[in-house]
Amino acid sequence: MESFPAIAATLEQISPRLRRLREKKNISLAELSATTGISKSTLSRLESGQRKPSLELLLPIAAALAVPLDEIVAAPQIIDPRMPQEPSRSNGRVIVPLSRSQGEPKAFKLIIPATETEPVPRTHAGYEWLYVLSGSLRLILGDYDVILGPGEVAEFDTQHSHWFGSSGRGPVEVLSLFGKQGERIHVRARSKQAALDQHAKRDT
């Protein structure tokens, strides 16, 4: 169920909901067992979450408690999938959040102005994944100094000294995934000399 968090969350609510409904009706486990034919131990495990609920168990319980099944099993709520884009500005960059979840990693769209070309390296905990949508992105990571174009990707440990901005050829649009926790990942980058060689090829 890890791939369907809404369903998993709904199933987790069944156990406490069963207990609340039974106690609201002032029915003991022994009485519910006698009415449904389900053993008291099975009912107890259902209410504690130690037994997975099934229709075979829930239907007679719903009938005995005189409640509709959907009062025990509420359908997962479907929220509007559209993500409102609320851009903000930071040091000249436009930052557009692209994920609603409070968890990690978080997704952003970054619009970096052509004037942001002066490297200001920094370090902090986390991991970052960058995908260039348009423009020419300059990335400095430790001893690497690379240029990434549209469709190119980089990922790196942000505990290493890093900076990224415009190469000076115009504004850059980037998709960014950032998380403070995660597996150690590598950088897809060329050496400084390789970047210079690439520049030379583009200028010829």
Side-chain angles (χ1 to χ4, degrees), residues 134-151:
S134 66
S136 180
L137 180 77
R138 183 185 180 193
L139 169 65
I140 296 177
L141 178 67
D143 293 331
Y144 288 96
D145 189 340
V146 301
I147 301 296
L148 301 173

Side-chain angles (χ1 to χ4, degrees), residues 120-141:
V120 184
R122 62 186 184 129
T123 61
H124 54 85
Y127 299 87
E128 189 151 11
W129 177 93
L130 300 174
Y131 178 87
V132 182
L133 292 170
S134 66
S136 180
L137 180 77
R138 183 185 180 193
L139 169 65
I140 296 177
L141 178 67

Side-chain angles (χ1 to χ4, degrees), residues 38-106:
I38 301 171
S39 70
K40 183 179 176 181
S41 62
T42 297
L43 291 172
S44 178
R45 283 185 290 140
L46 267 177
E47 290 189 357
S48 64
Q50 296 176 1
R51 173 69 182 265
K52 289 185 177 181
S54 66
L55 283 177
E56 184 180 5
L57 294 173
L58 296 180
L59 286 173
I61 293 175
L65 296 177
V67 296
L69 184 62
D70 60 6
E71 193 167 336
I72 297 175
V73 186
Q77 183 182 6
I78 300 176
I79 61 175
D80 188 338
R82 294 171 297 180
M83 176 67 188
Q85 297 188 23
E86 300 176 352
S88 62
R89 287 184 176 273
S90 176
N91 298 322
R93 301 185 178 200
V94 177
I95 303 173
V96 185
L98 298 179
S99 54
R100 181 183 286 109
S101 172
Q102 296 301 310
E104 295 183 348
K106 294 184 181 297

